Every structure is written in structure tokens, then in C-alpha cells.
Amino acid sequence: MSKEPVYIDDQFEDEIHLRDLVEKYLRHWKWFVIGVFVCVVAAFFYLRYATPVFRTEASIVIKEEDKGGMGSQLSALQDIGVLGGMGGASVENEIEILKSKRLLQKVVNELGLNVSYFVKEGIKINEVYGNIPFYVKILKYNDEVNLAEEMPEEPYEIALINDKQISINDGEQTNTYELGAKIVLPFAEIMVVPNIVKKKRLMVDANRFLVSFKTIEGAAIGLEEAIQVSLADKNATVINMALEHPLKTKAQDILNELVNQYNEDAIIDNNLVSKNTAEFIDERLKIIGRELDSVETNKVSFKSQNKLTDIEAESVLFLENVNEVNKKHLEVATQMEVTNTMIAYLNEGDNAKLLPTNLSGQESEGMAELINTYNTLVIERNEMLKNSTDKNPVVKNINSQIDQLRSTVLNGLQTQKTGLRIAMNDLRRQEAIMDNKIAKVPGKEKEFRGIEREQNLKEALYLYLLQKREEASINMAVTAPKAKIVDYANSTVKPVAPKKMIVMGGAFLMGLLIPFLFIYVGDVLNNKIVTRKDIERALPNLPIIGELPSLGDKEEKIIADDDRSVLAEAFRILRTNLQYMFVNHNVEDGAKTILVTSTTKGEGKSLVSSNLAVTLADTKKKVVLIGADLRNPQLKQYIQHNKRQSGLSNYLYNDNIELDDIINPSGIKSNLDMISSGSIPPNPAELLMGDKIKTFFEALKNRYDYVVIDSAPLLLVTDTFLINKYADVTVYVMRSGYAESKFTDFVSDTLKEKKLERVAMVLNDVSMANFGYGNKYGYNYGGEKDGILEKIKKIFTRS
């Protein structure tokens, strides 16, 4: 049975990328632990010292207005047409009234909420209400200052010295005043009065208070923002009110007082409407009384002056005559219109058109005969024109006859029109006479009925107003509240804020989020090479043969004998991986030549070349280390030597200097020699281009097993490109957190242009959080276990 091939799909690759993303953050696990710890501790202290807030709720039901009170008064005005179309206020309107600044300012005034009292207890400042030995009354605000800007932001400190004196500290100075005396402050005049009513409930050991002042409007705005007013149900008239405040008693007093002020405001409005309604009705009664008396007087006078009889039969006769006259008038008007139409038709002078007949129904026999004769001639003319033209003598003769008949017919119609006009004028005179007769008798009866109708209307309105005046008087005596309390203000037993679980949970999440954001933002803004994966993504075809750990300032930079540190093991791994680069190297080619370079200075190529040479020397092979950076040599920091001794630059410049003159023992290993860079020449590139450099490398390859070259950075100078052809392998060093990401583009371009060959990457200065297997799996190279203090120190000193 054949096996199907196994493919690595995109989902598997996504899982790998996700795992890499998670591991990137898990490497910084200690910062997440620290973040959670700090945030949780901060949340604990916040909960310890935060002032608990309780929720206080109250509910009321709005009474229907049409059952009395203001609704009754408004309906009275609506019934008599004064407030037409005005309905009762909706519940939504009442909610807006409850939240209005006008009503809240009354609550502030009544409870004195523009002055708040606090007591400092340790680091906490707690508000107190009602149970203090004195209270501050604001007599008058200073109108000459802008209260919005001049009100003090910081509270005044008021202390009770004795039963008669107090001290006030405004932050700059302390003054002493008598209790009950008027005190002038920059923003207002105040008076401090002893709290005699609540003397038995005064706080213990508290005679010093912080007093905060606000304007009436400012305190009302604060209440408007804090009080929540909502409808219990869209189909109900129940309104819920809620207030979250640290002091239960104060919150309860505020809500109860709000309901009280709302009811008082509604009662005032109700009484105002009732009073205005009563005054309006009284005025109307006076006017209607006078009008009713006048109507009754007119009725008596009219009956005595006019003798009224039964005029119904006479009215029927007059109406019949009027109808007959109107009918004749219509007929004559119709005939007049038809005659005018015929005259206009004939005036057109068209011999081809026929005249209409029997339109009016009143033509004389002569006129009808003329019209028939006219139409006969027109028909005869039209028949002749079918086979002839207008120039035919017969046609001309017929046209002449038609013109003569047209003139005759027009004269007849004009005469008929004159007769119709005379008949119409006669009918109009008859109509006028009939109208005059009708107006004399029915007009009196009509006037009499009008007088009676006006009398009945005035009497009904007068009686109605008397009834409404009594209702208004009764409503003024009954002042029922508009809102009925369903539940008085009541506070929760447990505080609603701060909520312990939410605060602690939020602190825990914040402790995770803050390090995450720092790492994420740092990663987004980072333009450096940090881990080997950054190189692998940019240069996937380039082998990475080693990672070198970050070293502290006090750690040794050169590997010692029997060194089992992380640095030593990293170079041993580098040495082993480097051997795979020499798989095709022949013994006849001489020493294995390794060129160590970097993109720019400071990336650690001298550190790598020095320790690589030492590590290769540990294999009992003959190794020579060459300082080929003729411009800025750094090998002296790692392998001590005489700076004045001759080196590579001296050898290339002076033909009298032999190779043996510049080879010196390293002083570290017996089989490790060193050739320093020598004196800094003015023309290093020209020296490296000479023929002597080839002889130099050929001689070294015959003497040693390994040749390690510490060369110059590639991005800055061209020196390394000149000697790269003599190297079997180029070890390219990049420093973690130092080399910029764009350096990989430079490396890629260099490889494409074949300026470098057989290149292997080494990532230097890798932090322990990102470094190889020793940190990840906790392998101890030293063979000794660190103590607890050492482990904690490593956690916080290595990243």
C-alpha cells in the first residue's frame, strides 16, 4: 500500500507563527508578574482607602391631571375657549421638571448643599453631614467678583476653639472669629452658627473641619449630573430616582427634598391657575351680565313696536313667485348667450361654414327661413368647389348671395338681442319688487329670532361661568400634592462602588496589559535586529552558525582555560557549526581562513575574532589572529600586546620587514599567535590592494591550521572587500539591539553582487531572554547551583 505524501499546510504555519508570537511575550514573563503584582497591590490600597459609595433610590407616581387640581382649571379655560387644544403634561415632561436646575436650586437652598464639610482621618478625607458642632450659612455672595472663577478650589479649614470662637484658615493665614458674627470672605459673606439642634449627636473628637464652598448654581449642576431620573415602565406613570453618594443620610435627604420641592412647585402652579381662572371668570360674568340685560331689554322693545303675525303661508307664496321669475330670467339669459354666439360666428365671414339652427328655440319663422336659405347656398357653393374654383362665375354669384344673406341674418339677430335685453331688464325689476316684499315681513321675524337666540346663549354661558367659579374656589381650598410617594428614599446596605471583584479583576488585567503594551509598542517601534528570527526572516538562505550572549561590564571578555560559562559554550557551538562550512576544504589548500567582519563598527567583530581564535586554539591546532582593521584596530581590548610593535600595515608598507617580524605570541595559548594591525597608515586600501598581501596570506596558510582575520566594517570602508577573496569563510557579525534592520538589505545586496562569498551569520550580544537553549531550559554550565538571592538577581538584571 502506497503512502500519501504529507504536506505542511497554511494552518500549520499559522500555528507556528502564533506560537512564536506567544513565546515572544512569554520570554518577558517576569515583567507580566511584576505588572500584575504592582497593579494588584495598588488596587488593594485603593480599596483600602477608597470611600464607599451607596446607591439611594426613591420612586413616585404622577397623579392624573384630569381628576382635579391644575388639570381641572386648565379644562375650565379650555371649555370656554381660552386655552384651546392644550393637553395635560406627559410623564416625560415631569421627568424634565424633576431634573431642572430651577427645582434643584431650591433643593440646594433648603438643605444648604452649597456648603460641604469634610474631616481628615489619616490620609483619607471623609465627608460628614448633619452631625457636626456648627454649620456655615452663606449670607450673601459677592456680586463684584466672577463667582465662576473666584470660588475657592481648596476647602477652608474651620476649627472650633471653644463654645464662642472659631478659627478659619484659607491656606495662607488663620483668623479667629466669634460664633454668629458676620465674616467677610473674598467671594461671600458667611456666618458660622452652632448646631444646637443636633448637639446630642455630634461627632466625637472632631472639632476641625474642611469646608468647601460652591455657588447655588454650581451645586445644582452637580446634582443634575448625579441624580438619575427614569420612567419605571413606558406604560406607567411611576418615576424612579437614584443617587449614588458616600453618605446615605445626605442622599436620602436630597431625594426626599426633591420630591417635596416638586410637590410644592406643583401646588403653587395649581393655586396660581385657580386664582387666575377665578379672576377671569369674574370679569366675564360682569360683561355677560351686562350683555344679557341689554338683550332682554331689546326683546321687550321689539315686541311692543312690531306686531308679528303668522307669515308662513305668505312666505310660501312669495317663494313660488320668486322661483317663477328666476326660471324666466334663466331662459332669457340663455337666449342672450346663444344670440351672442351666433353673431360672433357670422362675424368670422367664412362662406364655407354652416349656421347652427334651433339653438335658442325662440327663432321667428322668418329668421329660421333665412338661416335655412343661407345653409342651402353654403352647401351648394361647397359642392361647386369640388369640381371648380373660386373664379367660376357661378361660385362668385353664390358667394355674393351668401354675403347678402349674412348681413340680413346679422341684422335680425341684433334686433332679437335688443328684445332679449328689454325682457331681462323687466325680469330684474320684478325680482327687486319680490325681494322688497319678502324683506318687509320675514325680516322682522328673523330679527326677533336672532334676539331670542342671543338671549338663550347669554343665559347658558352665564350659568356655566357661575358653576366654574364655584369649582375654582373649591380647588383653591384643596391643595393635594401632584406626586404620590411610592417608596421613600432608601439606600443599599452594601456599597455599589468601588466593587472589589471588578477593581481587582481590572487591576489584574491592567497588570497584564501594561507590559504587553510596552512590549508591543517597543516591538512596533523597534528597527533593530534582536533575535536570530529577525535575520532568518530577512535572509532566509543565509546560515546562522552561532549566538553570543550579552555580557555584563564586569564579566570577562576572553574565554579562559576550562571556562564553562555561557559565553565559552556559545563559542564552542560556534566552532562546531563553523566546521560544516569547511566540508569541501582540501588539506592541500593550506590553513582554513576565516574572515570576521560586520556592517558597522561596535557590533563585536573583534570580540568574535579574538574568542574564536582562542576556541580554535583549544583544539590543539596552530592558529594565527590577524588585525586587518588598519583604520580602527580594537584587538588590544581583548588580547594585550605592545601597541608600538610592527604589524600588518608595517609589513605591507616596508619591504624590509619580514613575516616573522610581525608574528607575536598571544600570551593566552601557546599555539595561538597574533599579528597586530600595526601603525595606522594614511592609505590602508592601497596597501591591501598590493601584491604583497597575497604573499602574506599564502605564507600564513602554509604555517598554520587556522587563520582568523579581524577586518574592517563593510558599510564604512572597502578594505574588507579587498581581502575577502583570501578567506574560505566570512563570519558576518550582527549585534542584537544595535544593528538596524535595514542592514540586512545591505547584506542581501552584497551577496547578490557577489562581493562576499561563503558567508555565515553570528548574532552577538543576545539578551538572556532571547538567547539559545541555556536560558530556555535552565542548563547550568558552571556545575554549581545559584542561591535564591542569585536567582532573583539574575531575573531582574537580565532581560
Side-chain angles (χ1 to χ4, degrees):
M1 181 181 293
S2 62
K3 295 184 179 179
E4 295 183 356
V6 179
Y7 298 96
I8 300 177
D9 57 10
D10 294 338
Q11 181 179 359
F12 181 73
E13 291 183 358
D14 292 340
E15 292 177 356
I16 294 177
H17 290 244
L18 180 60
R19 184 167 60 248
D20 292 341
L21 181 63
V22 172
E23 288 179 354
K24 179 178 69 175
Y25 289 100
L26 288 180
R27 284 197 298 268
H28 302 280
W29 62 270
K30 56 183 172 296
W31 296 114
F32 288 94
V33 172
I34 294 173
V36 170
F37 176 77
V38 172
C39 289
V40 169
V41 170
F44 172 79
F45 281 101
Y46 168 75
L47 293 173
R48 172 67 178 80
Y49 293 102
T51 302
V53 176
F54 300 89
R55 183 178 180 84
T56 303
E57 296 180 343
S59 58
I60 59 175
V61 60
I62 304 299
K63 295 180 180 180
E64 297 293 337
E65 292 185 349
D66 56 358
K67 295 180 181 180
M70 186 185 299
S72 176
Q73 309 310 316
L74 293 179
S75 65
L77 295 178
Q78 291 171 3
D79 290 341
I80 60 178
V82 178
L83 297 177
M86 181 177 180
S90 65
V91 181
E92 287 78 8
N93 293 338
E94 302 306 317
I95 291 177
E96 294 303 320
I97 293 175
L98 283 167
K99 295 193 299 183
S100 65
K101 291 186 179 67
R102 177 182 60 84
L103 208 61
L104 292 174
Q105 286 179 3
K106 293 182 179 181
V107 175
V108 172
N109 268 326
E110 185 66 25
L111 299 178
L113 301 180
N114 54 332
V115 181
S116 301
Y117 307 89
F118 301 88
V119 173
K120 188 173 183 180
E121 299 177 352
I123 64 173
K124 293 181 63 177
I125 298 178
N126 297 322
E127 184 179 0
V128 293
Y129 174 77
N131 52 353
I132 56 177
F134 60 85
Y135 64 89
V136 179
K137 183 178 181 181
I138 298 181
L139 302 176
K140 179 184 178 183
Y141 286 99
N142 190 349
D143 298 331
E144 297 179 359
V145 299
N146 186 354
L147 294 178
E149 299 178 357
E150 297 296 331
M151 291 299 293
E153 296 181 0
E154 297 296 328
Y156 281 64
E157 184 180 275
I158 301 180
L160 187 64
I161 300 176
N162 50 48
D163 292 341
K164 296 182 179 181
Q165 290 182 322
I166 59 162
S167 64
I168 298 180
N169 186 342
D170 60 0
E172 297 180 356
Q173 60 181 356
T174 301
N175 298 317
T176 303
Y177 301 95
E178 297 291 330
L179 277 172
K182 183 174 71 174
I183 303 172
V184 179
L185 297 179
F187 61 92
E189 295 179 0
I190 67 171
M191 179 182 294
V192 181
V193 183
N195 190 353
I196 302 175
V197 178
K198 299 183 178 181
K199 187 174 181 180
K200 296 182 179 179
R201 295 190 295 147
L202 297 181
M203 296 180 62
V204 180
D205 298 332
N207 59 354
R208 189 177 299 273
F209 298 88
L210 298 176
V211 182
S212 175
F213 297 94
K214 295 181 180 178
T215 61
I216 300 293
E217 183 179 1
I221 292 175
L223 284 183
E224 182 184 11
E225 296 174 352
I227 296 177
Q228 305 168 15
V229 184
S230 61
L231 193 61
D233 187 84
K234 63 180 181 180
N235 296 322
T237 59
V238 177
I239 296 177
N240 293 332
M241 297 175 292
L243 174 61
E244 294 183 359
H245 199 275
L247 298 177
K248 297 181 182 180
T249 306
K250 185 174 183 179
Q252 292 169 6
D253 288 349
I254 290 173
L255 293 184
N256 290 333
E257 184 61 29
L258 178 59
V259 176
N260 182 47
Q261 291 295 335
Y262 173 78
N263 281 330
E264 289 186 2
D265 190 67
I267 290 172
I268 293 173
D269 290 343
N270 180 69
N271 289 339
L272 180 62
V273 172
S274 298
K275 181 180 178 181
N276 291 340
T277 302
E279 292 176 354
F280 174 79
I281 292 175
D282 287 339
E283 291 296 327
R284 294 298 300 170
L285 282 173
K286 293 178 182 179
I287 296 172
I288 293 174
R290 289 195 297 268
E291 292 176 352
L292 182 59
D293 182 69
S294 177
V295 169
E296 291 177 346
T297 303
N298 291 337
K299 182 179 180 182
V300 173
S301 299
F302 187 82
K303 282 186 177 182
S304 63
Q305 293 175 3
N306 299 282
K307 296 180 180 180
L308 298 176
T309 60
D310 185 8
I311 61 172
E312 293 183 0
E314 186 178 355
S315 298
V316 172
L317 179 60
F318 280 132
L319 291 175
E320 290 177 356
N321 294 334
V322 168
N323 290 335
E324 184 65 26
V325 173
N326 288 339
K327 182 179 179 181
K328 291 180 179 180
H329 192 176
L330 180 61
E331 291 175 356
V332 172
T334 302
Q335 292 177 19
M336 178 67 75
E337 186 66 25
V338 171
T339 300
N340 289 332
T341 303
M342 292 286 290
I343 292 172
Y345 192 81
L346 287 170
N347 286 331
E348 293 179 359
D350 189 353
N351 292 341
K353 291 184 179 181
L354 298 174
L355 293 177
T357 60
N358 297 326
L359 286 180
S360 64
Q362 296 291 334
E363 298 97 338
S364 62
E365 293 181 1
M367 182 61 68
E369 185 177 351
L370 287 174
I371 292 174
N372 289 333
T373 302
Y374 180 88
N375 289 338
T376 301
L377 289 174
V378 171
I379 292 172
E380 185 179 352
R381 173 187 175 278
N382 293 338
E383 289 294 330
M384 291 290 295
L385 287 176
K386 291 181 180 179
N387 300 313
S388 181
T389 63
D390 290 338
K391 296 180 180 180
N392 190 310
V394 178
V395 174
K396 290 182 178 180
N397 183 36
I398 293 173
N399 284 335
S400 176
Q401 294 178 29
I402 290 173
D403 292 338
Q404 291 177 1
L405 278 175
R406 182 185 299 110
S407 176
T408 303
V409 173
L410 279 173
N411 291 332
L413 290 174
Q414 290 292 345
T415 302
Q416 181 177 330
K417 180 178 179 181
T418 302
L420 291 174
R421 184 180 296 112
I422 294 171
M424 186 175 291
N425 291 334
D426 183 63
L427 289 173
R428 287 175 178 170
R429 285 194 297 270
Q430 293 181 23
E431 287 178 350
I433 293 171
M434 297 298 294
D435 289 340
N436 187 31
K437 291 180 179 181
I438 292 174
K440 287 181 179 180
V441 177
K444 295 178 180 180
E445 181 66 21
K446 180 180 179 182
E447 184 178 356
F448 180 73
R449 289 181 179 179
I451 294 173
E452 282 189 333
R453 185 165 51 251
E454 185 178 2
Q455 179 188 12
N456 294 334
L457 179 62
K458 298 294 183 181
E459 288 179 351
L461 184 56
Y462 189 82
L463 295 175
Y464 177 78
L465 289 176
L466 287 176
Q467 178 185 353
K468 291 301 178 181
R469 185 177 64 177
E470 293 300 320
E471 292 179 1
S473 299
I474 294 173
N475 287 327
M476 289 182 64
V478 179
T479 55
K482 185 175 184 180
K484 179 180 178 181
I485 298 177
V486 178
D487 288 316
Y488 286 97
N490 188 27
S491 304
T492 57
V493 177
K494 295 182 179 180
V496 295
K499 296 182 179 180
K500 182 177 180 180
M501 296 304 298
I502 294 179
V503 173
M504 296 301 290
F508 180 81
L509 293 178
M510 187 64 67
L512 296 176
L513 182 61
I514 292 176
F516 173 81
L517 290 177
F518 272 102
I519 296 171
Y520 175 77
V521 172
D523 187 55
V524 170
L525 299 179
N526 179 41
N527 63 343
K528 308 292 185 181
I529 298 294
V530 179
T531 66
R532 65 180 298 156
K533 292 182 179 179
D534 297 331
I535 300 177
E536 290 171 349
R537 282 192 291 267
L539 303 169
N541 299 322
L542 202 62
I544 300 176
I545 61 175
E547 293 179 82
L548 304 179
S550 178
L551 300 177
D553 295 335
K554 296 182 180 181
E555 294 187 55
E556 293 293 334
K557 303 297 189 296
I558 291 295
I559 301 172
D561 293 335
D562 299 325
D563 193 343
R564 300 186 63 183
S565 65
V566 178
L567 179 66
E569 294 298 333
F571 271 102
R572 291 184 184 110
I573 294 173
L574 172 61
R575 179 185 63 191
T576 301
N577 293 334
L578 188 60
Q579 300 304 315
Y580 293 101
M581 304 296 294
F582 296 105
V583 173
N584 298 324
H585 183 79
N586 297 319
V587 178
E588 294 79 9
D589 295 335
K592 299 176 181 178
T593 307
I594 305 167
L595 185 143
V596 181
T597 186
S598 63
T599 307
T600 184
K601 66 177 182 179
E603 297 196 61
K605 58 181 180 55
S606 298
L607 170 71
V608 174
S609 58
S610 300
N611 283 285
L612 180 59
V614 173
T615 305
L616 292 172
D618 286 338
T619 61
K620 308 303 180 183
K621 301 291 184 178
K622 293 183 64 179
V623 182
V624 61
L625 175 62
I626 303 173
D629 187 355
L630 303 183
R631 301 173 187 267
N632 185 24
Q634 297 295 324
L635 283 179
K636 59 182 177 293
Q637 296 184 9
Y638 306 98
I639 299 179
Q640 297 296 326
H641 59 274
N642 188 357
K643 299 179 181 179
R644 297 180 180 179
Q645 67 185 17
S646 297
L648 178 60
S649 61
N650 304 98
Y651 172 78
L652 296 176
Y653 178 77
N654 191 346
D655 293 336
N656 295 325
I657 297 177
E658 299 296 333
L659 181 61
D660 292 333
D661 296 335
I662 61 175
I663 297 176
N664 298 288
S666 65
I668 299 176
K669 302 285 184 179
S670 59
N671 56 338
L672 173 62
D673 293 335
M674 176 181 176
I675 299 176
S676 65
S677 59
S679 303
I680 298 177
N683 56 344
E686 287 73 10
L687 292 178
L688 295 175
M689 291 175 63
D691 295 334
K692 198 173 182 179
I693 190 67
K694 181 178 180 181
T695 305
F696 171 76
F697 280 111
E698 289 177 350
L700 290 178
K701 286 188 176 184
N702 294 326
R703 290 191 183 191
Y704 294 95
D705 297 311
Y706 288 97
V707 176
V708 180
I709 307 170
D710 178 31
S711 64
L714 295 176
L715 187 63
L716 304 178
V717 293
T718 188
D719 299 0
T720 302
F721 292 117
L722 299 175
I723 62 175
N724 175 66
K725 58 186 176 181
Y726 302 111
D728 297 315
V729 174
T730 298
V731 175
Y732 204 109
V733 181
M734 281 191 171
R735 183 177 178 183
S736 173
Y738 180 83
E740 298 183 9
S741 300
K742 61 183 179 181
F743 287 176
T744 57
D745 297 333
F746 172 77
V747 176
S748 178
D749 295 338
T750 302
L751 294 176
K752 288 179 181 179
E753 296 170 2
K754 297 187 180 298
K755 294 181 180 180
L756 294 177
E757 295 182 356
R758 299 176 300 281
V759 177
M761 301 296 297
V762 172
L763 184 60
N764 182 33
D765 199 20
V766 181
S767 65
M768 294 305 295
N770 300 315
F771 179 72
Y773 305 105
N775 180 65
K776 183 174 182 180
Y777 294 103
Y779 192 82
N780 192 300
Y781 289 96
E784 298 179 358
K785 296 183 179 180
D786 293 332
I788 296 178
L789 294 178
E790 286 75 9
K791 290 182 178 179
I792 295 176
K793 182 178 179 181
K794 287 183 177 181
I795 289 176
F796 289 98
T797 56
R798 293 181 178 178
S799 59

